[in-house]
């Protein structure tokens, strides 16, 4: 059975959110070294390019952005949908 990475992530998040302490600790032990690695977003070329693109779109007026109220409304709507 094929599952997308997005589906797998969602299932893992849901599982971890409700798993007992021993299971959470066991999972953490498996991935601890990866988690402890420091990720510097500013060293990630794709991340930097995406941020630059978004800033350029905003500054040029191509993307008008959202007000804080619009962000909260959208977040609440998305949360309720799940």
């Amino acid at each position: 059975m094929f599952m997308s990475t997005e589906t797998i992530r969602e299932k893992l998040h849901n599982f971890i959110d409700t798993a007992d302490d021993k299971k959470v600790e066991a999972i953490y032990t498996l991935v601890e070294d990866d988690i402890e690695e420091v990720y510097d977003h500013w060293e990630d070329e794709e991340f930097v390019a995406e941020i630059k693109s978004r800033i350029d779109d905003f500054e040029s007026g191509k993307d008008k952005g959202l007000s804080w109220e619009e962000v909260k409304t959208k977040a609440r709507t998305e949360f309720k949908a799940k």
Side-chain angles (χ1 to χ4, degrees), residues 17-35:
D17 286 344
T18 60
D20 64 49
D21 291 349
K22 283 188 177 186
K23 289 179 183 174
V24 172
E25 289 170 15
I27 293 168
Y28 182 79
T29 300
L30 292 172
V31 296
E32 181 176 11
D33 290 341
D34 292 329
I35 291 172

Side-chain angles (χ1 to χ4, degrees), residues 42 44-56:
W42 303 112
D44 183 336
E45 291 178 19
E46 283 184 40
F47 174 80
V48 172
E50 178 67 23
I51 294 300
K52 182 178 179 339
S53 173
R54 290 181 184 207
I55 290 170
D56 291 345

